[in-house]
PDB file of all heavy atoms in Angstrom:
ATOM      1  N   SER A 246     -42.201  19.591   1.969  1.00  0.00           N
ATOM      2  CA  SER A 246     -40.747  19.620   1.816  1.00  0.00           C
ATOM      3  C   SER A 246     -40.242  21.052   1.946  1.00  0.00           C
ATOM      4  O   SER A 246     -40.814  21.983   1.353  1.00  0.00           O
ATOM      5  CB  SER A 246     -40.337  19.038   0.463  1.00  0.00           C
ATOM      6  OG  SER A 246     -40.698  17.675   0.376  1.00  0.00           O
ATOM      7  N   PHE A 247     -39.158  21.231   2.714  1.00  0.00           N
ATOM      8  CA  PHE A 247     -38.638  22.576   2.989  1.00  0.00           C
ATOM      9  C   PHE A 247     -37.193  22.647   2.525  1.00  0.00           C
ATOM     10  O   PHE A 247     -36.348  21.877   2.974  1.00  0.00           O
ATOM     11  CB  PHE A 247     -38.742  22.895   4.479  1.00  0.00           C
ATOM     12  CG  PHE A 247     -38.262  24.275   4.828  1.00  0.00           C
ATOM     13  CD1 PHE A 247     -39.095  25.379   4.645  1.00  0.00           C
ATOM     14  CD2 PHE A 247     -36.984  24.482   5.328  1.00  0.00           C
ATOM     15  CE1 PHE A 247     -38.659  26.651   4.963  1.00  0.00           C
ATOM     16  CE2 PHE A 247     -36.539  25.745   5.653  1.00  0.00           C
ATOM     17  CZ  PHE A 247     -37.374  26.842   5.462  1.00  0.00           C
ATOM     18  N   LYS A 248     -36.903  23.573   1.610  1.00  0.00           N
ATOM     19  CA  LYS A 248     -35.543  23.756   1.111  1.00  0.00           C
ATOM     20  C   LYS A 248     -34.755  24.599   2.105  1.00  0.00           C
ATOM     21  O   LYS A 248     -35.173  25.699   2.456  1.00  0.00           O
ATOM     22  CB  LYS A 248     -35.570  24.400  -0.274  1.00  0.00           C
ATOM     23  CG  LYS A 248     -36.197  23.492  -1.332  1.00  0.00           C
ATOM     24  CD  LYS A 248     -36.302  24.185  -2.676  1.00  0.00           C
ATOM     25  CE  LYS A 248     -36.766  23.224  -3.757  1.00  0.00           C
ATOM     26  NZ  LYS A 248     -38.038  22.546  -3.451  1.00  0.00           N
ATOM     27  N   ILE A 249     -33.601  24.092   2.521  1.00  0.00           N
ATOM     28  CA  ILE A 249     -32.859  24.796   3.568  1.00  0.00           C
ATOM     29  C   ILE A 249     -31.770  25.701   3.014  1.00  0.00           C
ATOM     30  O   ILE A 249     -31.376  26.661   3.639  1.00  0.00           O
ATOM     31  CB  ILE A 249     -32.274  23.825   4.616  1.00  0.00           C
ATOM     32  CG1 ILE A 249     -31.400  22.768   3.967  1.00  0.00           C
ATOM     33  CG2 ILE A 249     -33.386  23.178   5.409  1.00  0.00           C
ATOM     34  CD1 ILE A 249     -30.736  21.844   4.991  1.00  0.00           C
ATOM     35  N   PHE A 250     -31.218  25.404   1.831  1.00  0.00           N
ATOM     36  CA  PHE A 250     -30.301  26.341   1.175  1.00  0.00           C
ATOM     37  C   PHE A 250     -30.026  25.840  -0.231  1.00  0.00           C
ATOM     38  O   PHE A 250     -30.247  24.680  -0.559  1.00  0.00           O
ATOM     39  CB  PHE A 250     -28.995  26.524   1.947  1.00  0.00           C
ATOM     40  CG  PHE A 250     -28.174  25.282   2.101  1.00  0.00           C
ATOM     41  CD1 PHE A 250     -27.356  24.828   1.068  1.00  0.00           C
ATOM     42  CD2 PHE A 250     -28.196  24.556   3.296  1.00  0.00           C
ATOM     43  CE1 PHE A 250     -26.589  23.681   1.227  1.00  0.00           C
ATOM     44  CE2 PHE A 250     -27.429  23.413   3.443  1.00  0.00           C
ATOM     45  CZ  PHE A 250     -26.626  22.977   2.402  1.00  0.00           C
ATOM     46  N   ASP A 251     -29.522  26.776  -1.086  1.00  0.00           N
ATOM     47  CA  ASP A 251     -29.172  26.436  -2.455  1.00  0.00           C
ATOM     48  C   ASP A 251     -27.678  26.177  -2.535  1.00  0.00           C
ATOM     49  O   ASP A 251     -26.883  26.843  -1.859  1.00  0.00           O
ATOM     50  CB  ASP A 251     -29.511  27.582  -3.419  1.00  0.00           C
ATOM     51  CG  ASP A 251     -31.005  27.815  -3.491  1.00  0.00           C
ATOM     52  OD1 ASP A 251     -31.745  26.967  -2.966  1.00  0.00           O
ATOM     53  OD2 ASP A 251     -31.400  28.845  -4.047  1.00  0.00           O
ATOM     54  N   LEU A 252     -27.281  25.235  -3.398  1.00  0.00           N
ATOM     55  CA  LEU A 252     -25.866  25.045  -3.649  1.00  0.00           C
ATOM     56  C   LEU A 252     -25.319  26.255  -4.396  1.00  0.00           C
ATOM     57  O   LEU A 252     -26.048  26.929  -5.120  1.00  0.00           O
ATOM     58  CB  LEU A 252     -25.639  23.765  -4.467  1.00  0.00           C
ATOM     59  CG  LEU A 252     -26.007  22.468  -3.761  1.00  0.00           C
ATOM     60  CD1 LEU A 252     -25.763  21.285  -4.694  1.00  0.00           C
ATOM     61  CD2 LEU A 252     -25.180  22.292  -2.495  1.00  0.00           C
ATOM     62  N   PRO A 253     -24.027  26.587  -4.249  1.00  0.00           N
ATOM     63  CA  PRO A 253     -23.470  27.780  -4.894  1.00  0.00           C
ATOM     64  C   PRO A 253     -23.674  27.755  -6.407  1.00  0.00           C
ATOM     65  O   PRO A 253     -23.475  26.732  -7.065  1.00  0.00           O
ATOM     66  CB  PRO A 253     -21.978  27.695  -4.546  1.00  0.00           C
ATOM     67  CG  PRO A 253     -21.912  26.833  -3.334  1.00  0.00           C
ATOM     68  CD  PRO A 253     -23.050  25.851  -3.450  1.00  0.00           C
ATOM     69  N   ASN A 254     -24.106  28.884  -6.947  1.00  0.00           N
ATOM     70  CA  ASN A 254     -24.267  29.020  -8.389  1.00  0.00           C
ATOM     71  C   ASN A 254     -22.959  29.553  -8.956  1.00  0.00           C
ATOM     72  O   ASN A 254     -22.608  30.713  -8.783  1.00  0.00           O
ATOM     73  CB  ASN A 254     -25.420  29.982  -8.702  1.00  0.00           C
ATOM     74  CG  ASN A 254     -25.748  30.003 -10.181  1.00  0.00           C
ATOM     75  OD1 ASN A 254     -24.857  29.993 -11.024  1.00  0.00           O
ATOM     76  ND2 ASN A 254     -27.038  30.040 -10.505  1.00  0.00           N
ATOM     77  N   ILE A 255     -22.213  28.683  -9.634  1.00  0.00           N
ATOM     78  CA  ILE A 255     -20.875  29.042 -10.094  1.00  0.00           C
ATOM     79  C   ILE A 255     -20.906  30.222 -11.060  1.00  0.00           C
ATOM     80  O   ILE A 255     -20.084  31.136 -10.981  1.00  0.00           O
ATOM     81  CB  ILE A 255     -20.206  27.830 -10.768  1.00  0.00           C
ATOM     82  CG1 ILE A 255     -20.107  26.669  -9.769  1.00  0.00           C
ATOM     83  CG2 ILE A 255     -18.823  28.182 -11.287  1.00  0.00           C
ATOM     84  CD1 ILE A 255     -19.289  26.987  -8.541  1.00  0.00           C
ATOM     85  N   LYS A 256     -21.896  30.240 -11.979  1.00  0.00           N
ATOM     86  CA  LYS A 256     -21.930  31.298 -12.987  1.00  0.00           C
ATOM     87  C   LYS A 256     -22.104  32.665 -12.347  1.00  0.00           C
ATOM     88  O   LYS A 256     -21.519  33.650 -12.777  1.00  0.00           O
ATOM     89  CB  LYS A 256     -23.053  31.018 -13.983  1.00  0.00           C
ATOM     90  CG  LYS A 256     -22.809  29.791 -14.855  1.00  0.00           C
ATOM     91  CD  LYS A 256     -23.932  29.602 -15.855  1.00  0.00           C
ATOM     92  CE  LYS A 256     -23.679  28.381 -16.734  1.00  0.00           C
ATOM     93  NZ  LYS A 256     -24.773  28.161 -17.710  1.00  0.00           N
ATOM     94  N   LYS A 257     -22.934  32.750 -11.314  1.00  0.00           N
ATOM     95  CA  LYS A 257     -23.179  34.036 -10.672  1.00  0.00           C
ATOM     96  C   LYS A 257     -21.950  34.524  -9.918  1.00  0.00           C
ATOM     97  O   LYS A 257     -21.749  35.724  -9.763  1.00  0.00           O
ATOM     98  CB  LYS A 257     -24.367  33.927  -9.723  1.00  0.00           C
ATOM     99  CG  LYS A 257     -25.710  33.750 -10.431  1.00  0.00           C
ATOM    100  CD  LYS A 257     -26.840  33.696  -9.427  1.00  0.00           C
ATOM    101  CE  LYS A 257     -28.188  33.524 -10.132  1.00  0.00           C
ATOM    102  NZ  LYS A 257     -29.300  33.441  -9.154  1.00  0.00           N
ATOM    103  N   ARG A 258     -21.108  33.592  -9.451  1.00  0.00           N
ATOM    104  CA  ARG A 258     -19.953  33.986  -8.645  1.00  0.00           C
ATOM    105  C   ARG A 258     -18.712  34.226  -9.494  1.00  0.00           C
ATOM    106  O   ARG A 258     -17.673  34.605  -8.992  1.00  0.00           O
ATOM    107  CB  ARG A 258     -19.666  32.894  -7.606  1.00  0.00           C
ATOM    108  CG  ARG A 258     -20.779  32.677  -6.619  1.00  0.00           C
ATOM    109  CD  ARG A 258     -20.458  31.510  -5.707  1.00  0.00           C
ATOM    110  NE  ARG A 258     -19.199  31.702  -5.034  1.00  0.00           N
ATOM    111  CZ  ARG A 258     -18.377  30.745  -4.677  1.00  0.00           C
ATOM    112  NH1 ARG A 258     -18.667  29.489  -4.971  1.00  0.00           N
ATOM    113  NH2 ARG A 258     -17.249  30.991  -4.044  1.00  0.00           N
TER     114      ARG A 258
END
Side-chain angles (χ1 to χ4, degrees):
S246 296
F247 182 81
K248 294 176 173 55
I249 56 176
F250 62 80
D251 295 349
L252 295 179
N254 188 319
I255 300 300
K256 292 182 179 179
K257 290 182 180 179
R258 297 175 56 211

